[in-house]
PDB file of all heavy atoms in Angstrom:
ATOM      1  N   LYS A 145      -7.423  32.575  27.298  1.00 97.00           N
ATOM      2  CA  LYS A 145      -7.231  31.783  26.075  1.00 97.00           C
ATOM      3  C   LYS A 145      -8.019  32.369  24.912  1.00 97.00           C
ATOM      4  O   LYS A 145      -9.223  32.590  25.023  1.00 97.00           O
ATOM      5  CB  LYS A 145      -7.714  30.344  26.306  1.00 97.00           C
ATOM      6  CG  LYS A 145      -6.967  29.627  27.420  1.00 97.00           C
ATOM      7  CD  LYS A 145      -7.376  28.166  27.549  1.00 97.00           C
ATOM      8  CE  LYS A 145      -6.494  27.457  28.578  1.00 97.00           C
ATOM      9  NZ  LYS A 145      -6.748  26.022  28.666  1.00 97.00           N
ATOM     10  N   GLU A 186     -10.047  31.218  32.297  1.00 98.00           N
ATOM     11  CA  GLU A 186     -10.078  29.922  32.980  1.00 98.00           C
ATOM     12  C   GLU A 186      -9.324  29.946  34.300  1.00 98.00           C
ATOM     13  O   GLU A 186      -8.284  30.610  34.423  1.00 98.00           O
ATOM     14  CB  GLU A 186      -9.440  28.896  32.032  1.00 98.00           C
ATOM     15  CG  GLU A 186      -9.595  27.465  32.457  1.00 98.00           C
ATOM     16  CD  GLU A 186      -9.121  26.520  31.353  1.00 98.00           C
ATOM     17  OE1 GLU A 186      -7.930  26.193  31.326  1.00 98.00           O
ATOM     18  OE2 GLU A 186      -9.948  26.132  30.512  1.00 98.00           O
ATOM     19  N   GLU A 187      -9.831  29.173  35.220  1.00 98.00           N
ATOM     20  CA  GLU A 187      -9.198  28.965  36.519  1.00 98.00           C
ATOM     21  C   GLU A 187      -7.779  28.416  36.314  1.00 98.00           C
ATOM     22  O   GLU A 187      -7.567  27.526  35.493  1.00 98.00           O
ATOM     23  CB  GLU A 187     -10.055  27.936  37.260  1.00 98.00           C
ATOM     24  CG  GLU A 187      -9.526  27.416  38.562  1.00 98.00           C
ATOM     25  CD  GLU A 187     -10.289  26.153  39.007  1.00 98.00           C
ATOM     26  OE1 GLU A 187     -11.174  25.657  38.293  1.00 98.00           O
ATOM     27  OE2 GLU A 187      -9.965  25.668  40.099  1.00 98.00           O
ATOM     28  N   LEU A 189      -4.677  26.175  37.285  1.00 98.00           N
ATOM     29  CA  LEU A 189      -4.437  24.941  38.039  1.00 98.00           C
ATOM     30  C   LEU A 189      -2.945  24.693  38.174  1.00 98.00           C
ATOM     31  O   LEU A 189      -2.184  24.987  37.249  1.00 98.00           O
ATOM     32  CB  LEU A 189      -5.039  23.736  37.309  1.00 98.00           C
ATOM     33  CG  LEU A 189      -6.547  23.647  37.140  1.00 98.00           C
ATOM     34  CD1 LEU A 189      -6.902  22.332  36.450  1.00 98.00           C
ATOM     35  CD2 LEU A 189      -7.267  23.732  38.480  1.00 98.00           C
ATOM     36  N   GLU A 193       1.519  18.294  33.938  1.00 96.00           N
ATOM     37  CA  GLU A 193       0.770  18.087  32.692  1.00 96.00           C
ATOM     38  C   GLU A 193       1.148  16.758  32.064  1.00 96.00           C
ATOM     39  O   GLU A 193       2.312  16.354  32.108  1.00 96.00           O
ATOM     40  CB  GLU A 193       1.112  19.204  31.704  1.00 96.00           C
ATOM     41  CG  GLU A 193       0.430  20.501  32.044  1.00 96.00           C
ATOM     42  CD  GLU A 193       0.723  21.565  31.015  1.00 96.00           C
ATOM     43  OE1 GLU A 193       0.349  21.387  29.843  1.00 96.00           O
ATOM     44  OE2 GLU A 193       1.342  22.568  31.390  1.00 96.00           O
ATOM     45  N   LYS A 215       6.953  22.114  27.516  1.00 94.00           N
ATOM     46  CA  LYS A 215       6.546  23.220  26.641  1.00 94.00           C
ATOM     47  C   LYS A 215       7.442  24.449  26.731  1.00 94.00           C
ATOM     48  O   LYS A 215       7.603  25.171  25.757  1.00 94.00           O
ATOM     49  CB  LYS A 215       5.108  23.636  26.973  1.00 94.00           C
ATOM     50  CG  LYS A 215       4.106  22.577  26.545  1.00 94.00           C
ATOM     51  CD  LYS A 215       2.793  23.174  26.089  1.00 94.00           C
ATOM     52  CE  LYS A 215       1.933  22.143  25.386  1.00 94.00           C
ATOM     53  NZ  LYS A 215       0.819  21.646  26.177  1.00 94.00           N
ATOM     54  N   GLU A 285      -6.986  21.099  27.576  1.00 97.00           N
ATOM     55  CA  GLU A 285      -7.335  21.292  26.158  1.00 97.00           C
ATOM     56  C   GLU A 285      -7.454  19.945  25.488  1.00 97.00           C
ATOM     57  O   GLU A 285      -6.907  18.944  25.953  1.00 97.00           O
ATOM     58  CB  GLU A 285      -6.256  22.104  25.434  1.00 97.00           C
ATOM     59  CG  GLU A 285      -4.938  21.378  25.353  1.00 97.00           C
ATOM     60  CD  GLU A 285      -3.954  21.918  24.322  1.00 97.00           C
ATOM     61  OE1 GLU A 285      -4.353  22.738  23.476  1.00 97.00           O
ATOM     62  OE2 GLU A 285      -2.796  21.488  24.346  1.00 97.00           O
TER      63      GLU A 285
HETATM   64  P1  AMP B 501      -3.536  24.917  26.121  1.00 75.52           P
HETATM   65  O1  AMP B 501      -3.214  25.265  24.697  1.00 75.52           O
HETATM   66  O2  AMP B 501      -4.937  25.241  26.504  1.00 75.52           O
HETATM   67  O3  AMP B 501      -3.108  23.536  26.524  1.00 75.52           O
HETATM   68  O4  AMP B 501      -2.583  25.833  26.985  1.00 75.52           O
HETATM   69  C1  AMP B 501      -1.183  25.901  26.761  1.00 75.52           C
HETATM   70  C2  AMP B 501      -0.438  25.748  28.049  1.00 75.52           C
HETATM   71  O5  AMP B 501      -0.863  26.742  28.992  1.00 75.52           O
HETATM   72  C3  AMP B 501      -0.705  24.428  28.748  1.00 75.52           C
HETATM   73  O6  AMP B 501       0.103  23.417  28.251  1.00 75.52           O
HETATM   74  C4  AMP B 501      -0.400  24.795  30.191  1.00 75.52           C
HETATM   75  O7  AMP B 501       0.988  24.788  30.412  1.00 75.52           O
HETATM   76  C5  AMP B 501      -0.898  26.200  30.296  1.00 75.52           C
HETATM   77  N1  AMP B 501      -2.292  26.204  30.795  1.00 75.52           N
HETATM   78  C6  AMP B 501      -3.426  26.158  30.048  1.00 75.52           C
HETATM   79  N2  AMP B 501      -4.529  26.159  30.826  1.00 75.52           N
HETATM   80  C7  AMP B 501      -4.097  26.207  32.097  1.00 75.52           C
HETATM   81  C8  AMP B 501      -4.743  26.226  33.372  1.00 75.52           C
HETATM   82  N3  AMP B 501      -6.071  26.242  33.473  1.00 75.52           N
HETATM   83  N4  AMP B 501      -3.971  26.249  34.480  1.00 75.52           N
HETATM   84  C9  AMP B 501      -2.619  26.277  34.389  1.00 75.52           C
HETATM   85  N5  AMP B 501      -1.945  26.259  33.225  1.00 75.52           N
HETATM   86  C10 AMP B 501      -2.662  26.229  32.081  1.00 75.52           C
END
Side-chain angles (χ1 to χ4, degrees):
K145 300 185 174 185
E186 190 171 88
E187 173 195 3
L189 295 183
E193 284 183 62
K215 290 214 167 105
E285 66 163 348

